[in-house]
Amino acid sequence: MAMKYLGAYLMSVIGGNESPTAEDITSILDAGGIAYEKDMVKMVVERMDGKKAHELISTGYGKFAACGGGGGGGGGGAAAAAPAAEAAGGGGGKAAAKKEEVVE
């Protein structure tokens, strides 16, 4: 099931509709110019029938926590690259650190 169907369903819930219908979902998708399959919209409505989206999210949140935090890394690339650039003759860092003296 594509996330666009669940996203439209949850947008309707956030808008105050606790139990969105297929028409609610399709109107949201239509407003965004998003193509959809009617049988998929129907399946979302059927599977969510009698369930509260907020309760399902809070129940599932604990399952995601078991997967670990993840991420990290990625940062510090520019800081680590600066000394290497100077060593290679980049010199950009030294010029920026040098102060000019004003002679009067």
Side-chain angles (χ1 to χ4, degrees):
M1 178 182 321
M3 289 300 294
K4 62 185 172 184
Y5 302 107
L6 294 175
Y9 185 92
L10 291 173
M11 287 176 70
S12 186
V13 170
I14 289 171
N17 186 355
E18 285 292 320
S19 185
T21 64
E23 291 79 28
D24 296 326
I25 296 171
T26 56
S27 67
I28 291 170
L29 295 171
D30 283 336
I34 300 169
Y36 58 87
E37 298 174 27
K38 290 182 182 181
D39 59 330
M40 293 296 287
V41 173
K42 183 180 174 186
M43 182 172 40
V44 169
V45 173
E46 288 173 357
R47 288 190 178 186
M48 293 299 293
D49 188 36
K51 299 175 185 170
K52 302 265 186 201
H54 300 296
E55 291 173 3
L56 292 173
I57 291 170
S58 63
T59 301
Y61 184 76
K63 294 177 184 178
F64 281 117
C67 295
E86 282 184 36
K94 289 183 182 179
K98 193 174 186 180
K99 292 183 180 180
E100 287 188 31
E101 295 181 25
V102 178
V103 179
E104 294 182 26

